[in-house]
C-alpha cells in the first residue's frame, strides 16, 4: 500500500500534468469507487471544473477544483495514468477524467479498494476522514510529547503507529523502518514506552519519511507509483522484507513475525 512518501510522489508527478486543466467530462465505470455518490451526480458535478492544485494530507490526495474538492485514497493499488483522451478504456480502469485539451487522467485499481469522494471546500478538513487524522511526522507539533499522549493504548507500538488517528501517513514499510531506527521492538506495548523512546520514534519518523519522500518513495511488490515514477527508497530499507538476512548494524539475522496480521520485520539484537 502506498504510504505518505509514495502518495506525495504521486502528487508531485501528477500536479504539473493536470494543474490548470479544465474537465470536459468524467466517465465512471465502477460506482463502488465513488460511493455513496451516484454516477450521474458525480459526473455532473465534475464537468467544467478546473484543477487549481493538488494537495495531500496523510495518504489522501486532495484535488482542489473550482467549486469542490475531490478527495482520493489510493488504498492498496490505486494508480493514475495520464494519456490522450482517445486511448481506449482498459481492464481495471474505473474512472476517466477527460480534459478540454485532449488529454485524460485515468484511475486504475485492480482490487477496487480505492475511493473518490466529493467534498465542499469548507468541509474538507473539518469532516471525516481528514478531521480524524493524527498529525503527520513533518508537522512542527509532531514530537515525543505528542506521541506519548497518543500512544496510551495496550496495543503493540507497531500497530499503534499504523493507526492513522495517531500518526497520519505511516504504513507497514515505514513503521518497520522507524522502529529499527528508534531501536524499539515492534511488539512493545505502546503505553509503556518512555518519553525518551517516544522522542526517538518522533525523530526517526521525521527523518525516514523525509528521506523516503526525497527518493520518490519505495517501489516494492504490488505498489509502483503512478505515471511512470519509480521510487528508490527500497534500496535503503534496513529491516523491511529482509527476513533471514544479516542486520547492517550488528550482523544478527533479521526476523519476521506477524503482528496484528501484518508482516513485521525487526532485528532481535538492535531492537529491544
Ligand atoms: Zn541489528
Amino acid at each position: 500500500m502506498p504510504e505518505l512518501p509514495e502518495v506525495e510522489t504521486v502528487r508531485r508527478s501528477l500536479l504539473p500534468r493536470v494543474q490548470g486543466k479544465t474537465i470536459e467530462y468524467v466517465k465512471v465505470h465502477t460506482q463502488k469507487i465513488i460511493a455513496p455518490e451516484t454516477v450521474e451526480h458525480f459526473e455532473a458535478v465534475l464537468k467544467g471544473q478546473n484543477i487549481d492544485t493538488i494537495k495531500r494530507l496523510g495518504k489522501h490526495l486532495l484535488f482542489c477544483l473550482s467549486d469542490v474538492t475531490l478527495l482520493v485514497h489510493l488504498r492498496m493499488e490505486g494508480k493514475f495514468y495520464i494519456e490522450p483522451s482517445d486511448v481506449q478504456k482498459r481492464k481495471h480502469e474505473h474512472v476517466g477524467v477527460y480534459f478540454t485539451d485532449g488529454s485524460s487522467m485515468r484511475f486504475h485499481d485492480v482490487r477496487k479498494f480505492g475511493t473518490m469522494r466529493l467534498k465542499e471546500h469548507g468541509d474538507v478538513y473539518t469532516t471525516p476522514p481528514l478531521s480524524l487524522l493524527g498529525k503527520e511526522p513533518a508537522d512542527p507539533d509532531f514530537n515525543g510529547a505528542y506521541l506519548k499522549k497518543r500512544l496510551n493504548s495496550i496495543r503493540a507500538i507497531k500497530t499503534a503507529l499504523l493507526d492513522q488517528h495517531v500518526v497520519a501517513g505511516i504504513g507497514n514499510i515505514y513503521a518497520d523502518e522507524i522502529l529499527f531506527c528508534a531501536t524499539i521492538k515492534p511488539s512493545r506495548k505502546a503505553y509503556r514506552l518512555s518519553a525518551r523512546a517516544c522522542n526517538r520514534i518522533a525523530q526517526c519518523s521525521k527523518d525516514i519519511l523525509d528521506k523516503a519522500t526525497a527518493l520518490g518513495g519505495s517501489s516494492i511488490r504490488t505498489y509502483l507509483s503512478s505515471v511512470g515514477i519509480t521510487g528508490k527508497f527500497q534500496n535503503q530499507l534496513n529491516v523491511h522484507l529482509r527476513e533471514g538476512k544479516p542486520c547492517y548494524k550488528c550482523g544478527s539475522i533479521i526476523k519476521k513475525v506477524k503482528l496484528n496480521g501484518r508482516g513485521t520485520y525487526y532485528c532481535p539484537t538492535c531492537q529491544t
Side-chain angles (χ1 to χ4, degrees), residues 180 247 249-250 252 267 269-270:
F180 176 78
C247 171
K249 250 207 265 180
C250 74
S252 297
C267 171
T269 305
C270 293

Side-chain angles (χ1 to χ4, degrees), residues 131-197:
S131 63
L132 303 175
L133 289 181
K135 292 190 191 304
E136 289 193 355
D139 190 307
D141 295 330
F142 180 89
N143 52 33
Y146 168 82
L147 272 182
K148 184 94 185 106
K149 234 184 284 166
R150 292 291 179 117
L151 296 176
N152 55 1
S153 75
I154 59 162
R155 294 180 296 182
I157 176 60
K158 160 90 184 271
T159 306
L161 283 182
L162 293 177
D163 182 345
Q164 300 301 299
H165 306 134
V166 176
V167 191
I170 295 177
N172 210 34
I173 303 172
Y174 298 112
D176 283 351
E177 294 299 313
I178 288 164
L179 291 174
F180 176 78
C181 164
T183 68
I184 291 165
K185 197 173 171 181
S187 58
R188 290 262 302 272
K189 298 257 183 279
Y191 79 96
R192 297 183 67 175
L193 291 171
S194 66
R196 277 178 64 186

Side-chain angles (χ1 to χ4, degrees), residues 55-73:
K55 296 180 184 172
R56 181 195 54 74
L57 191 66
K59 305 180 195 172
H60 300 262
L61 286 169
L62 291 72
F63 287 80
C64 305
L65 311 176
S66 320
D67 302 323
V68 288
T69 299
L70 179 63
L71 193 59
V72 175
H73 199 301

